[in-house]
Amino acid sequence: PQVKHTYSKGFSIRVVVAGCMSFVAEEGVPTTTTLERLVGKAIEMANSTAALKINGVKMAPQEALHQVTWKTPVVKDVLEVPLQEKQQLLTEVNQVALSNGADYVESMLFAQREQTYLATTDGSYIQQEIHQFWPTFIVQAGQVGDENCQRRKALSTPVGKGYEYLLRAGYIRQMGAGI
């Protein structure tokens, strides 16, 4: 099994100056000095586009949302499930496919948790936690190049759900169905 874990932090700043919008972003956790530098850069960029402006950007009037939090509704966070449990499930998936005539199986779980925070000049402070989960597999019966070789890929796409989706989706049964 192969496990890859990545973690990153970053931030972005959007400004509107005299109807011209600019956007800057940087990796890492910002310091006050970094924020001041990037706000200055964003303002400079917005001002530099003024000569090209045909119609200015106008922000839609919006009352402040104040403090708002939203989280993808998950029962069981995929990233909190022990690695051994996920490996055991994938091993079981592979065994079902192999026992149903597959010659090659590759099963995978991709998961992502994104946390964002937005503060606006109108007084809105919005926090989001977005979960994406993508269980997928490839099953092959026969050898590549053989006219009877059949290959099946899962017809799944990333979903905004937790680990419970995988358990309810009949993932293991689905593996053996097409072999």
Side-chain angles (χ1 to χ4, degrees):
Q2 181 184 39
V3 177
K4 183 178 180 182
H5 178 79
T6 60
Y7 181 81
S8 65
K9 287 185 177 186
F11 64 97
S12 61
I13 299 167
R14 179 180 63 183
V15 299
V16 178
V17 179
C20 296
M21 184 183 294
S22 177
F23 178 85
V24 294
E26 194 166 288
E27 251 187 322
V29 178
T31 63
T32 302
T33 305
T34 304
L35 286 173
E36 289 171 352
R37 177 179 57 82
L38 287 175
V39 167
K41 183 176 180 180
I43 291 170
E44 181 184 326
M45 289 170 58
N47 284 328
S48 71
T49 62
L52 304 172
K53 178 175 73 174
I54 297 171
N55 295 315
V57 172
K58 292 182 183 173
M59 302 301 285
Q62 173 68 47
E63 286 187 34
L65 299 173
H66 304 293
Q67 193 76 27
V68 178
T69 301
W70 186 86
K71 182 178 178 181
T72 302
V74 299
V75 175
K76 195 171 189 179
D77 184 344
V78 178
L79 298 173
E80 301 299 326
V81 174
L83 181 59
Q84 285 181 320
E85 184 178 331
K86 291 183 271 197
Q87 286 177 323
Q88 181 180 347
L89 179 71
L90 292 177
T91 299
E92 188 178 338
V93 164
N94 292 356
Q95 288 171 347
V96 167
L98 292 169
S99 69
N100 280 291
D103 294 302
Y104 172 81
V105 184
E106 187 175 321
S107 55
M108 298 150 279
L109 299 177
F110 298 96
Q112 175 180 322
R113 179 175 52 217
E114 179 181 354
Q115 295 171 315
T116 61
Y117 184 73
L118 170 69
T120 66
T121 54
D122 68 11
S124 295
Y125 301 95
I126 303 167
Q127 192 170 2
Q128 290 184 325
E129 185 173 294
I130 301 167
H131 293 251
Q132 289 188 320
F133 180 41
W134 184 26
T136 188
F137 58 81
I138 300 168
V139 180
Q140 179 178 306
Q143 300 301 314
V144 175
D146 181 358
E147 67 181 53
N148 294 321
C149 180
Q150 295 182 14
R151 190 174 178 103
R152 178 179 181 210
K153 293 182 179 182
L155 298 176
S156 64
T157 58
V159 293
K161 299 188 184 284
Y163 196 68
E164 67 278 0
Y165 167 77
L166 179 65
L167 302 176
R168 278 189 270 152
Y171 192 68
I172 296 171
R173 280 191 314 277
Q174 187 181 8
M175 284 291 294
I179 301 299

